Amino acid sequence: MSNSTLPTLPATDRPEVAARLRDALLGASFTADGLLDLLGAPAYAALARSETVPALRATRDDTPLETLVRLFLLQQPVPHARVADVLPVAACVESGWLASVGGDEVAATVDVRPYGGPGGEDWFIVSDLGCAVGGAGGIGSREEGVVLGVGGASTTLAGITVRTPVAAALDLGTGSGIQALHAAQHATRVTATDVNPRALHITALTLALSGAPAADLREGSLFDPVRDDETYDLIVSNPPFVISPGARLTYRDGGMGGDDLCRSLVQQAGDRLREGGFAQFLANWQHVEGEDWQDRLRSWVPRGCDAWIVQREVQDVTQYAELWLRDAGDHRGDPAAYEALYDAWLDEFEARKVKGVGFGWITLRRTGADAPSITVEEWPHSIEQPLGDTVRAHFERVDRLRALDDAALLAAHFRLADEVIQEQVGLPGAEDPEHVVLRQHRGMRRATKVDTVGAGFAGVCDGSLSAGRILDAIAQLVGEDPVLLRDRTPAQIRLLVEQGFLEPVD
């Protein structure tokens, strides 16, 4: 289906109208905080599930904020006179933000959703009508060129992205412009690409309505719009990573076989990164019969890059097919057509010997090191967002450890990271615990088993003594040969440092 069946979008060449609209929205407290105060937590949360009834009940009066909620979030026609008390109606109709309907009413042509920035900024994400979030029932649109707004994947990527000042950032597959909007706060120049020209149009609207600088918008797939001589300090992408039979929906289906789109994206990113630059992606990957999924992902990492890959979830092929068929609303149509589509998904997985699909994050960092570090792990447990500083610190620790042989490691000083606690696990009344666990309460919120030496070592790390001197003291306490203890402990220290339980002290 072509983009021509979708509604006409507001004009992008009227920045003064976007500025007036923004002022009016802020003046009526049409912000994330304002919505929460008006709707209350239950109705606000229901909107994220595509359930509008609680919000409709909460906006039955005629206040300016209720008018805007009905107009832009609930997509209800509102009397012209009522909207004129809040917005510059004539200018909004002329530039395409609103459309006249039913004689004396106006309706929004796009969804406009308040979005709070990391520094308390009041931003607005523009998307196609009814497509601000997927929700449990799906977006209900099978339009090929539809552009979605804020969802869990986009906020996850925004949260894990390293936020340091950079000269140039690239947002591949920008969609409604969420990642480009974040990048504009710390990048001098932002380039945003998308294979869908409608997405580029909506990204321009998102940036303008949020009061952010315009981005360099380019049409094309993956790195095709990027010139051979262009490199970046930061590359981010929430790509169309869904592994599906075909490419029905531009916003989610990559159109390549299996997980080839994500693989190509990762492998091509290395040549586009400047030294020390980061590339961060969300991705899906296949779990193939007879193949180690971690080895599969290691093979994706380009030469000259460190990598940290975290698998957050794995679904079997039936769960995966059902999730994305519901995302498109296929379950609400003809049962026979739904079954045929379901069959097609399972046929595709069977042909590729795929037994499951993983979802997670991939972070690359360009390095000049002779031996790049590649960490592939599974961590399905709760985390604390934002994680950008945690990601940056991980690679700083990788650099530090890479420069230390075991002798230098034992001469170094470390301190226990903040908010790490020790848990002892064993039967009630037992003299000694079965094992000891160190647990983080920040960042990745990791938990790792340690032996009594590891627990004792971590407990006294305050930066004052070198690692070697601490081990010598422990050896004396437990009656062990200090030379043997020094020989067998560095691997455990390295793991505790790499995972952030211990921090190097200069």
Side-chain angles (χ1 to χ4, degrees):
M1 191 175 295
S2 69
N3 293 355
S4 62
T5 63
L6 293 166
T8 300
L9 294 171
T12 57
D13 59 353
R14 298 289 303 276
E16 74 284 356
V17 177
R20 290 175 64 191
L21 178 56
R22 172 177 170 79
D23 289 343
L25 297 178
L26 294 176
S29 296
F30 188 69
T31 63
D33 290 340
L35 289 185
L36 184 58
D37 289 342
L38 171 67
L39 302 178
Y44 192 69
L47 279 178
R49 303 190 299 270
S50 294
E51 297 292 349
T52 59
V53 172
L56 286 168
R57 291 174 60 85
T59 56
R60 288 178 286 194
D61 294 328
D62 295 335
T63 67
L65 181 54
E66 288 171 306
T67 296
L68 294 176
V69 170
R70 283 188 164 255
L71 189 66
F72 287 116
L73 265 64
L74 305 178
Q75 281 98 54
Q76 300 292 308
V78 179
H80 185 287
R82 184 173 165 185
V83 178
D85 291 337
V86 189
L87 302 177
V89 174
C92 287
V93 170
E94 181 186 358
S95 61
W97 289 96
L98 301 175
S100 297
V101 295
D104 63 347
E105 293 183 319
V106 293
T109 59
V110 288
D111 185 295
V112 175
R113 191 146 303 228
Y115 179 74
E121 302 90 347
D122 289 315
W123 293 337
F124 301 96
I125 308 299
V126 180
S127 63
D128 274 311
L129 294 174
C131 297
V133 289
I139 63 168
S141 174
R142 297 182 181 86
E143 297 281 8
E144 177 185 339
V146 71
V147 179
L148 271 61
V150 179
S154 53
T155 55
T156 294
L157 178 59
I160 67 173
T161 299
V162 176
R163 302 293 176 193
T164 54
V166 296
L170 173 64
D171 176 16
L172 284 177
T174 187
S176 57
I178 302 163
Q179 309 308 325
L181 178 57
H182 278 277
Q185 310 310 302
H186 62 102
T188 303
R189 176 172 58 88
V190 177
T191 301
T193 73
D194 206 291
V195 70
N196 182 5
R198 187 176 183 86
L200 298 176
H201 192 132
I202 284 182
T203 290
L205 298 175
T206 289
L207 295 173
L209 196 58
S210 298
D216 178 6
L217 304 176
R218 304 182 190 178
E219 182 180 347
S221 177
L222 300 181
F223 288 98
D224 288 350
V226 179
R227 297 192 305 271
D228 290 342
D229 61 344
E230 288 183 300
T231 55
Y232 297 87
D233 306 289
L234 174 67
I235 300 172
V236 292
S237 183
N238 176 18
F241 53 65
V242 177
I243 300 171
S244 61
R248 285 194 305 156
L249 301 174
T250 303
Y251 73 87
R252 68 167 208 194
D253 298 322
M256 296 185 185
D259 51 17
D260 282 355
L261 182 135
C262 291
R263 176 186 55 78
S264 297
L265 182 62
V266 173
Q267 289 181 336
Q268 294 175 27
D271 291 336
R272 301 298 183 180
L273 279 177
R274 297 173 181 171
E275 186 72 19
F278 286 92
Q280 298 187 261
F281 315 107
L282 300 186
N284 276 182
W285 43 79
Q286 298 172 148
H287 283 233
V288 179
E289 185 178 341
E291 177 183 276
D292 186 315
W293 68 270
Q294 293 183 327
D295 289 343
R296 182 182 189 85
L297 289 173
R298 287 189 185 95
S299 73
W300 291 9
V301 178
R303 295 181 62 184
C305 287
D306 292 327
W308 184 20
I309 302 173
V310 181
Q311 180 168 272
R312 295 287 290 156
E313 181 182 5
V314 183
Q315 292 184 317
D316 66 49
V317 293
T318 59
Q319 292 173 311
Y320 190 80
E322 291 162 14
L323 169 67
W324 294 109
L325 288 169
R326 288 179 175 272
D327 171 78
D330 292 311
H331 62 300
R332 294 194 294 266
D334 174 38
Y338 173 77
E339 291 177 7
L341 286 169
Y342 199 153
D343 246 349
W345 282 67
L346 297 186
D347 284 344
E348 179 81 4
F349 287 133
E350 185 177 344
R352 295 178 177 276
K353 298 183 178 180
V354 176
K355 59 183 180 179
V357 178
F359 168 81
W361 325 318
I362 298 176
T363 300
L364 307 176
R365 186 190 59 166
R366 190 75 187 177
T367 179
D370 293 334
S373 166
I374 301 177
T375 300
V376 184
E377 62 177 316
E378 184 168 21
W379 187 252
H381 310 293
S382 64
I383 60 167
E384 181 190 49
Q385 285 274 39
L387 267 180
D389 287 344
T390 299
V391 173
R392 176 181 50 78
H394 167 85
F395 287 95
E396 290 175 351
R397 292 192 299 270
V398 165
D399 277 344
R400 189 65 169 269
L401 289 172
R402 187 160 42 205
L404 300 176
D405 59 17
D406 284 355
L409 181 77
L410 294 177
H413 294 235
F414 302 95
R415 63 177 292 273
L416 188 66
D418 294 335
E419 297 192 43
V420 172
I421 65 170
Q422 177 179 302
E423 299 174 355
Q424 298 188 130
V425 181
L427 293 174
E431 184 175 347
D432 296 313
E434 292 180 15
H435 59 262
V436 178
V437 173
L438 297 182
R439 188 179 301 277
Q440 300 169 349
H441 280 249
R442 303 294 301 271
M444 290 291 289
R445 293 177 174 165
R446 293 185 185 276
T448 189
K449 286 184 182 181
V450 292
D451 59 19
T452 54
V453 171
F457 180 88
V460 298
C461 275
D462 61 4
S464 61
L465 297 176
S466 69
R469 290 193 61 186
I470 293 174
L471 289 180
D472 291 343
I474 292 174
Q476 186 174 4
L477 285 173
V478 301
E480 187 168 342
D481 184 334
V483 175
L484 294 178
L485 190 60
R486 279 173 171 256
D487 283 344
R488 71 176 176 84
T489 308
Q492 187 172 191
I493 296 175
R494 288 183 184 277
L495 181 63
L496 291 175
V497 174
E498 181 181 329
Q499 293 189 342
F501 290 95
L502 298 177
E503 297 175 347
V505 176
D506 292 329

